Amino acid sequence: MSQETPQRNLALDLVRVTEAAALASSRWLGKGDKEHGDFAAVEAMRLSFSAIDIKGTVVIGEGEKDEAPMLYNGEKLGTGNGPEVDVAVDPVEGTRLLAFGRPNAIAVVALAPRGTMYNPGPAFYMKKMTVPSEAKYQVDIKAPVAENLRRVAKALGKSVDDMVVFVLDKPRHAGLIREIREAGARIQLHTDGDVAGALMAITPGGEVDMMIGTGGTPEGILAAVAIRIMGGEMQCMLDPQSDAERESVQQAGYSLERVLTVDDLVKSDDVFFAATGISGGTFLKGVEFTGKGAVTHSMVMRGKTGTFRLIEAQHSFSKLMRISAIEYGTKNERA
C-alpha cells in the first residue's frame, strides 16, 4: 500500500481567515448596521488571505467587481505561490443575524482545486435537502416531503416524530412547513443562515436531523464542501425566485429539472473548509470579548483525510495589534 508524505493542511491557514473576519465583524453585533459589519469582515478576510501561499481565484464571493470592491468574483487571493485553487467565501453568513444580534451568524471559507467548484452563473437560488452520513443515498429531492422524512428517520433509528428539520422562515416555505408538520416532524425556523443549517444537519450530536428548503446557490456550494468532507448528502435543484432570474438561468443553458449532488457542486476530495462563529448559536459559539482580547470557536475540515477539528482560540489584542493591520480591538484596546 503506497503512502503519501503529509502535506500542508490549508484549512489551518483558512481558520485564521475566518477568525479574523469574526473578530472584526463581531464589533457590530446587534448595532443594526449589516453593511459595516459585513465590510469589516470582508476587509479582515482579504488582508488575512494575503499571507497564504496559494494562487487563489474567488468563484463564490461578494458579487461582481462593479458591486463589490473586495472579495469579488474573479479576484485573485494569496501570495501567488502554491497551488491554484477556487475560493468560496461568505465573510458574514447571516448579515441580518449579526446586525440584530441573533444566533448563528458565521464567517465561512472553502478552497478546492482550480476549476472544480460549480459555477452558478445567474442562478441565485436553489432548492436543497441536506442529511447526515447515516442517511446518505436515502433521500430523493423530487419525492414527497413525508417520504423523505420517513426514510431519514429510519436511517437514523428514530421515528418521524423525533425528527427536527431546519427550515428558513420565508413566505416561500409556507407549503413546505405545512407538509413537515402534517408528517409529524418538528421544525427549527431560522430567519437566515442556510450554510449554518447544512452544518447543523451534518454535525454529529447536533439538534437538527436534516435541512430542507430554498436558499442561496452560493451558500449551497460553500456547504457542499463541508458536506463532501463529512460524508453527508445534499441534493439541489435550481429554483429561480423571479421571472427575470428564471429567464436568465434558462438562457444560460442551466436545467431547472436536473438534480445536483455534492459531486456536481465540488468535483474533488482535495478540499478545505473553515467556519468561525460570530454571534453564537447552537453549534458554534460566538466571539467572546474578555477585556484584554477575545475567544473564538471554529470548525476546520480537510477533505483528503476527512479530519474534522473544533478549535477554541484565545486572542490577545495587545499583541495582535502590534503586528496586524486589522482593527480588532476597541479604541481603548488599541491605545
Side-chain angles (χ1 to χ4, degrees):
M1 180 179 177
S2 62
Q3 294 182 327
E4 293 185 20
T5 302
Q7 299 172 332
R8 184 171 186 178
N9 185 353
L10 288 171
L12 298 176
D13 292 309
L14 292 186
V15 75
R16 296 175 59 196
V17 175
T18 56
E19 285 173 350
L23 287 166
S25 62
S26 60
R27 289 295 184 188
W28 295 92
L29 177 69
K31 294 187 177 181
D33 188 341
K34 66 179 185 179
E35 286 79 14
H36 278 92
D38 189 52
F39 178 79
V42 169
E43 187 175 52
M45 266 197 180
R46 189 166 181 262
L47 285 169
S48 298
F49 263 116
S50 66
I52 301 179
D53 285 332
I54 56 171
K55 298 176 185 176
T57 302
V58 177
V59 296
I60 302 295
E62 291 288 280
E64 301 305 317
K65 185 175 182 179
D66 58 348
E67 299 173 358
M70 295 186 294
L71 295 178
Y72 55 83
N73 296 343
E75 182 175 354
K76 303 300 180 182
L77 296 177
T79 64
N81 301 312
E84 293 190 41
V85 293
D86 288 343
V87 182
V89 301
D90 200 340
V92 180
E93 203 245 345
T95 53
R96 284 182 294 185
L97 301 178
L98 171 64
F100 297 111
R102 295 171 181 156
N104 295 328
I106 58 176
V108 192
V109 175
L111 297 185
R114 186 76 182 110
T116 61
M117 281 188 185
Y118 181 76
N119 178 4
F124 300 121
Y125 288 91
M126 57 169 42
K127 186 185 299 182
K128 311 169 194 177
M129 180 175 292
T130 304
V131 297
S133 58
E134 294 88 344
K136 192 172 184 179
Y137 308 127
Q138 302 303 309
V139 294
D140 178 355
I141 195 169
K142 292 186 175 183
V145 170
E147 177 63 24
N148 281 310
L149 288 169
R150 284 193 293 271
R151 293 179 184 181
V152 175
K154 182 178 179 180
L156 297 178
K158 297 183 174 185
S159 70
V160 172
D161 291 349
D162 295 333
M163 296 273 292
V164 177
V165 184
F166 180 108
V167 180
L168 290 177
D169 189 8
K170 307 291 183 182
R172 61 179 176 262
H173 289 151
L176 170 64
I177 291 168
R178 183 174 59 253
E179 288 183 68
I180 294 171
R181 288 173 174 164
E182 288 175 353
R186 299 173 294 155
I187 300 174
Q188 274 195 17
L189 287 173
H190 294 256
T191 58
D192 299 275
D194 57 348
V195 174
L199 293 174
M200 291 164 69
I202 63 171
T203 301
E207 298 178 358
V208 170
D209 297 299
M210 64 188 301
M211 184 192 79
I212 311 176
T214 294
T217 302
E219 289 83 355
I221 297 164
L222 261 166
V225 175
I227 294 166
R228 186 175 184 115
I229 296 170
M230 296 287 284
E233 182 175 9
M234 179 169 66
Q235 294 183 5
C236 309
M237 297 176 69
L238 300 182
D239 190 18
Q241 295 299 295
S242 69
D243 291 339
E245 183 187 354
R246 179 180 296 273
E247 184 177 351
S248 295
V249 168
Q250 291 177 327
Q251 286 182 350
Y254 291 83
S255 170
L256 300 182
E257 296 302 317
R258 181 186 175 190
V259 176
L260 298 166
T261 67
V262 167
D263 289 340
D264 295 313
L265 299 182
V266 56
K267 299 179 183 295
S268 174
D269 285 322
D270 193 15
V271 294
F272 305 89
F273 180 93
T276 300
I278 300 174
S279 63
T282 54
F283 79 107
L284 271 181
K285 293 182 180 179
V287 176
E288 302 168 8
F289 291 104
T290 64
K292 296 182 179 179
V295 181
T296 56
H297 303 84
S298 306
M299 56 171 56
V300 183
M301 309 179 200
R302 183 186 183 193
K304 215 168 186 181
T305 60
T307 304
F308 171 84
R309 290 180 171 92
L310 293 173
I311 296 177
E312 178 179 293
Q314 307 275 339
H315 305 271
S316 168
F317 288 152
S318 63
K319 292 187 176 182
L320 269 177
M321 296 308 295
R322 294 177 197 164
I323 62 172
S324 177
I326 302 169
E327 294 187 355
Y328 293 117
T330 63
K331 292 181 180 179
N332 291 334
E333 290 165 336
R334 294 195 295 269

